[in-house]
């Protein structure tokens, strides 16, 4: 089960992975979900996203959203950016800010883009050299290995004019939204892939693509964004092959605000298999995914995770194991996906949790204003103001059947706070700089009057 933000950050620090911090120096933990509209295009783009998404996220204790945006909607014709699309993004960010949700703007692609029946890179930026593509609707991920798709990635990475176009697209987004109070940062490209060479094994190809193509691309895009936005975080992803327990080949991204943002999916589970606790997949993934942030001293935020079929016998165990693992090394995560219905949706059509997904909602500290000393499922201990941190420590408490009781020890206030049953709350704790503060939160027993 998820524990306090400080627990995640403290665990990460002991492993040589720094915590994520805000501009006030507070240690952050992100808990939230992806928010998307993949079906709407043109005049209907982003129409499926409403204020209700952000109101409901906050009502269940979440403070983070990874917002999917698409280059093909932003720039449907080369050099012609859609002002209507930018206004829609701005409206969504306004809802997020109203409900105190931090947003990561994700430049999303699936199987490159609309040239192959998906979303992402515009058709005008898709070059295949006439290589074949066979749609595989029953196994869409395998379409990444179609010759035309692989060649399109090579051209995106290597063609000078496409490099310039991608950088210009990011300058438009960052120039427009870099100062928005809801924006935490930018995910530079979703699940990037590339072209395998003849006879090359997939793990070797992934590391080569990450080393020789993704690393230069991320440095180019970082420079483009920094020309218009100096403050936002830059989230960089490895290829999805990291999900097979393969350490990334990414090199150093020359920016002081980089966040490593892998995804957390198991191929067998995505194909419909139940979770096998004895297979060691989570352990292998954790070992692989922590190598890069330890080496380059960057925080980790997992940008997507969550299986398609949550009702199989071992899925309750999966959520417990996965959340415990994420807490050991990451500064947060975004589940996939905050919607109302079937499939990957977090909630059903009536707004109730889908099976086992309620485990994602638990108390945590969104921000800790100081150096974390210790933490656990019901507490956080820190030295206030240490490390130049300022502002309040903020706890996020989801609705609980018996409510919550918060107690504070040390030179800090309030001394206590009580949250009514069925209500969510954010509790702010202010402390004297240098004070040693202990905060605990508990759920009163069911029979307590």
């Amino acid at each position: 089960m998820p524990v306090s933000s400080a627990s995640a950050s403290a665990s990460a620090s002991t492993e040589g992975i720094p915590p994520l911090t805000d501009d006030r120096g507070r240690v952050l933990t992100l808990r939230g979900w992806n928010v998307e509209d993949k079906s709407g295009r043109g005049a209907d783009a982003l129409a499926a996203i409403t204020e209700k998404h952000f109101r409901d996220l906050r009502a269940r204790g979440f403070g983070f959203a990874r917002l999917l945006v698409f280059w093909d909607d932003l720039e449907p014709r080369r050099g012609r950016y859609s002002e209507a699309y930018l206004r829609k993004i701005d409206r969504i960010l306004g809802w997020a800010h109203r409900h105190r949700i931090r947003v990561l703007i994700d430049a999303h692609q699936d199987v490159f883009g609309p040239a192959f029946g998906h979303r992402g890179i515009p058709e005008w930026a898709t070059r295949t050299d006439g290589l074949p593509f066979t749609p595989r609707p029953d196994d869409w991920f395998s379409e990444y290995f179609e010759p035309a798709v692989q060649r399109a990635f090579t051209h995106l990475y290597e063609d000078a004019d496409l490099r310039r176009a991608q950088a210009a697209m990011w300058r438009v987004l960052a120039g427009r939204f870099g100062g928005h109070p809801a924006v935490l940062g930018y995910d530079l490209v979703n699940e990037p892939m590339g072209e395998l060479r003849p006879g090359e094994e997939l793990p070797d190809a992934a590391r080569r693509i990450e080393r020789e193509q993704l690393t230069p691309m991320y440095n180019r895009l970082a420079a483009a964004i920094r020309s218009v936005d100096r403050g936002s975080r830059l989230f960089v992803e490895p290829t999805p092959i990291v999900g097979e327990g393969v350490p990334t080949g990414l090199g150093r991204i020359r920016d002081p605000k980089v966040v490593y943002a892998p995804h957390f999916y198991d191929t067998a589970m995505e194909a419909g298999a139940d979770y096998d606790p004895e297979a060691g997949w989570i352990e292998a993934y954790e070992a692989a995914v922590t190598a890069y942030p330890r080496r380059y001293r960057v925080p980790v935020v997992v940008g997507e995770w969550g299986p398609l079929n949550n009702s199989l016998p071992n899925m309750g165990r999966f959520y417990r194991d996965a959340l415990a693992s994420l807490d050991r090394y990451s500064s947060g995560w975004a589940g996939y996906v905050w919607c109302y219905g079937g499939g990957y949706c977090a909630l059903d059509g009536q707004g109730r949790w889908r099976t086992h997904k309620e485990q994602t909602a638990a108390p945590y500290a969104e921000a800790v204003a100081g150096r974390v000393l210790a933490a656990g499922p019901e507490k956080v201990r820190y030295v206030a103001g240490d490390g130049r941190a300022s502002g309040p420590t903020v706890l996020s408490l989801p609705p609980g059947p018996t409510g919550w009781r918060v107690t504070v020890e040390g030179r800090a206030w309030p001394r206590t706070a009580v949250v009514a049953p069925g209500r969510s709350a954010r509790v702010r704790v202010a402390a004297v700089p240098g004070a040693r503060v202990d905060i605990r939160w508990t759920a009163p027993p069911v029979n307590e009057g």
Side-chain angles (χ1 to χ4, degrees):
M1 62 191 300
V3 298
S4 75
S5 68
S7 173
S9 299
S11 298
S13 295
T14 62
E15 296 295 327
I17 300 173
L20 183 68
T21 57
D22 66 8
D23 56 6
R24 302 166 83 173
R26 297 181 300 177
V27 174
L28 296 182
T29 289
L30 308 178
R31 295 283 187 269
W33 292 79
N34 284 260
V35 177
E36 67 176 28
D37 177 6
K38 290 186 177 181
S39 58
R41 299 192 62 184
D44 295 325
L46 301 176
I49 301 174
T50 68
E51 185 174 2
K52 175 180 171 62
H53 288 75
F54 299 94
R55 183 187 304 117
D56 288 354
L57 277 167
R58 178 47 71 187
R60 285 171 169 82
F62 299 104
F64 177 50
R66 181 174 180 259
L67 174 65
L68 279 60
V69 302
F70 300 102
W71 186 1
D72 58 295
D73 267 324
L74 176 61
E75 192 180 3
R77 289 190 292 168
R78 186 164 190 166
R80 301 288 296 273
Y81 298 99
S82 171
E83 180 60 31
Y85 192 63
L86 291 166
R87 286 197 299 270
K88 289 180 180 183
I89 296 172
D90 191 53
R91 180 175 63 176
I92 291 170
L93 293 175
W95 293 332
H97 181 55
R98 183 177 304 162
H99 296 285
R100 302 178 305 281
I101 304 292
R102 291 183 172 91
V103 175
L104 172 62
I105 296 176
D106 162 44
H108 205 84
Q109 66 81 31
D110 292 315
V111 193
F112 204 77
F116 307 111
H118 296 273
R119 304 299 311 280
I121 289 88
E123 290 192 65
W124 59 260
T126 306
R127 296 171 182 166
T128 67
D129 297 340
L131 294 175
F133 171 74
T134 302
R136 303 179 187 275
D138 295 330
D139 185 13
W140 69 269
F141 190 80
S142 69
E143 293 176 355
Y144 275 111
F145 302 98
E146 287 292 307
V149 175
Q150 297 207 335
R151 184 59 53 84
F153 276 106
T154 295
H155 282 295
L156 177 68
Y157 300 144
E158 303 298 340
D159 291 8
D161 63 327
L162 296 184
R163 289 180 176 184
R164 290 193 295 270
Q166 188 184 26
M169 178 272 293
W170 265 117
R171 280 193 294 272
V172 169
L173 280 176
R176 183 67 168 257
F177 302 117
H180 198 288
V183 173
L184 173 70
Y186 313 110
D187 191 333
L188 301 186
V189 65
N190 177 70
E191 296 185 354
M193 291 287 280
E195 187 168 4
L196 278 67
R197 293 170 177 169
E200 192 175 32
E201 295 292 331
L202 183 55
D204 295 331
R207 286 191 290 267
R208 174 186 54 79
I209 291 164
E210 290 159 346
R211 181 177 61 253
E212 298 180 4
Q213 295 177 314
L214 295 187
T215 300
M217 179 189 71
Y218 288 146
N219 278 305
R220 289 193 300 272
L221 298 182
I225 290 170
R226 292 304 179 222
S227 70
V228 294
D229 177 1
R230 305 297 299 178
S232 299
R233 293 276 184 171
L234 306 182
F235 288 62
V236 299
E237 299 187 31
T239 66
I241 310 307
V242 72
E244 299 303 310
V246 178
T248 184
L250 276 177
R252 183 180 300 279
I253 311 305
R254 297 184 297 274
D255 190 273
K257 294 189 175 184
V258 169
V259 179
Y260 185 52
H263 291 180
F264 183 33
Y265 292 119
D266 172 56
T267 303
M269 290 168 61
E270 289 298 291
D274 197 1
Y275 172 57
D276 180 2
E278 305 304 318
W281 171 67
I282 287 179
E283 293 80 2
Y285 174 88
E286 185 173 326
V289 84
T290 53
Y292 182 86
R294 281 200 306 267
R295 179 177 181 181
Y296 292 105
R297 298 287 298 165
V298 296
V300 181
V301 173
V302 170
E304 287 186 25
W305 75 283
L308 175 61
N309 190 342
N310 295 277
S311 61
L312 295 172
N314 289 332
M315 283 302 175
R317 169 74 179 274
F318 167 74
Y319 274 90
R320 291 191 295 274
D321 290 353
L323 287 162
S325 175
L326 290 166
D327 185 68
R328 282 192 288 271
Y329 63 85
S330 82
S331 287
W333 44 259
Y336 189 82
V337 57
W338 195 256
C339 55
Y340 308 84
Y344 286 97
C345 286
L347 308 172
D348 66 17
Q350 287 71 49
R352 299 170 300 206
W353 282 113
R354 302 278 307 288
T355 305
H356 300 306
K357 290 181 182 282
E358 74 283 351
Q359 293 189 48
T360 62
Y364 69 102
E366 292 187 25
V368 177
R371 177 168 54 92
V372 177
L373 301 176
E378 297 178 344
K379 67 180 181 180
V380 60
R381 177 181 301 147
Y382 64 100
V383 177
D386 194 73
R388 297 185 297 278
S390 64
T393 287
V394 181
L395 309 182
S396 180
L397 303 166
T402 63
W404 300 99
R405 178 177 295 142
V406 179
T407 60
V408 180
E409 296 180 359
R411 291 180 294 167
W413 60 93
R415 306 301 292 176
T416 62
V418 176
V419 181
R423 300 290 299 273
S424 64
R426 297 172 86 228
V427 176
R428 294 172 174 82
V429 176
V432 174
R436 188 184 182 101
V437 181
D438 284 86
I439 305 174
R440 296 178 181 270
W441 50 90
T442 57
V446 174
N447 62 354
E448 183 174 314

